[in-house]
Amino acid sequence: MKLIEAKDYHEMSMLAAEVILDQIKEKNDSVLGLATGGTVLGTYQQLILDHQQNKTAYQHIKTFNLDEYAGLSRQDENSYHAYMKKHFFDEVNIPFSQTFLPNGEALDMKAECENYDQKMEELGGIDLQLLGIGQNGHIGFNEPGSSFESKTHLVALEQSTREANARYFDTIEDVPTHAVTMGIATIMKSKKVLLLASGLQKSSILYDLFHSDVTSSIPATILRDHPNTIIIADQEALSKLHQDERKMFAK
Ligand code: PGA
């Protein structure tokens, strides 16, 4: 895991967009793994700005999102389908048919999950996976205790995750109880991982990410075993790490 320190959220977003744009320049038909949530929003905004200014082309790019709530229709404004359309897909020239998210309304969820993993394989696997991190260490919706062997699957959300996401819904009761997520094994197959973290609310989990052994009770620690992980975090998120440690992890 290589750490890149950013001053603040804006700088984190700019640096993250640069990593993604480098990937697209290197391979214009890259398969990108995408994430939703507050942390990655600024990165999408930077990519959209770049698209407007520099005409970076997305017509050969394919995308797979990490997760989707179970039981929400893709038209629901809180679905990750709607998030991606609004905050990214509608703003760049990516063909809709090349954007994939799990179907949270699938009647046969097992088949849906298997097909999702198979589609990823067919298209050559994910070149770069963008990730946020939950305050409990989740990546995607792989909550503490998730198996490192897991592929795309249906999960029950932890109460803390539902509380963290309640800000987008009218009441906490409206937050779905389940989601479909890429598994940890799915994420670990990506050739490169880019994890972003911003704000004081992520400072404890970032401290744990750098100090804990690899353990399923903190799912993100598995990234220590990934050969090509970049973490871009801002000063608030890194505030529990000493300067010396930050320098050491930056190497
Ligand atoms: P956030 O979510 O970016 O909204 O903090 C990240 C996550 O839960 O993975």
Side-chain angles (χ1 to χ4, degrees), residues 37-39 132-134 138 167-168 202:
T39 312
I133 183 169
H138 73 202
R167 64 192 192 274
Y168 300 112
K202 299 290 167 72

Side-chain angles (χ1 to χ4, degrees), residues 164-177:
N165 290 1
R167 64 192 192 274
Y168 300 112
F169 293 81
D170 290 339
T171 68
I172 181 128
E173 286 75 36
D174 293 334
V175 184
T177 55

Side-chain angles (χ1 to χ4, degrees), residues 17-178:
E18 264 172 43
V19 173
I20 296 170
L21 290 168
D22 283 348
Q23 172 66 42
I24 296 174
K25 273 184 205 126
E26 196 181 304
K27 190 176 171 218
N28 74 352
D29 61 347
S30 289
V31 180
L32 301 179
L34 298 180
T36 50
T39 312
V40 293
L41 208 49
T43 305
Y44 294 131
Q45 284 163 1
Q46 291 301 321
L47 291 176
I48 292 165
L49 265 181
D50 161 81
H51 178 68
Q52 289 164 352
Q53 289 166 0
N54 305 318
K55 308 274 174 285
T56 297
Y58 290 81
Q59 70 257 40
H60 301 300
I61 299 290
K62 287 116 195 159
T63 66
F64 284 89
N65 264 78
L66 276 172
D67 44 23
E68 177 58 288
Y69 287 118
L72 287 196
S73 91
R74 59 186 66 201
Q75 279 80 29
D76 190 300
E77 61 175 359
N78 282 312
S79 73
Y80 289 161
H81 278 81
Y83 173 114
M84 289 308 299
K85 194 169 146 40
K86 177 172 172 193
H87 296 298
F88 191 49
F89 298 152
D90 278 355
E91 306 296 331
V92 295
N93 65 333
I94 188 161
F96 178 68
S97 60
Q98 288 163 210
T99 64
F100 301 95
L101 286 96
N103 174 9
E105 289 192 303
L107 293 177
D108 184 346
M109 203 48 96
K110 191 165 172 284
E112 170 66 20
C113 293
E114 282 170 10
N115 291 341
Y116 200 64
D117 283 323
Q118 200 185 330
K119 188 78 193 166
M120 256 176 257
E121 298 271 319
E122 272 169 30
L123 293 178
I126 291 176
D127 292 301
L128 171 65
Q129 175 68 55
L130 179 63
L131 291 180
I133 183 169
Q135 290 174 44
N136 62 3
H138 73 202
I139 46 176
F141 275 131
N142 294 285
E143 302 285 34
S146 300
S147 160
F148 287 155
E149 314 301 322
S150 57
K151 295 184 174 173
T152 300
H153 62 300
L154 183 71
V155 285
L157 299 180
E158 278 207 344
Q159 186 59 13
S160 64
T161 297
R162 294 182 69 226
E163 281 163 12
N165 290 1
R167 64 192 192 274
Y168 300 112
F169 293 81
D170 290 339
T171 68
I172 181 128
E173 286 75 36
D174 293 334
V175 184
T177 55
H178 289 75

Side-chain angles (χ1 to χ4, degrees), residues 187-200:
I187 293 170
M188 288 295 281
K189 272 194 192 166
S190 319
K191 293 168 193 109
K192 191 184 268 189
V193 173
L194 174 60
L195 183 141
L196 309 184
S198 168
L200 287 176

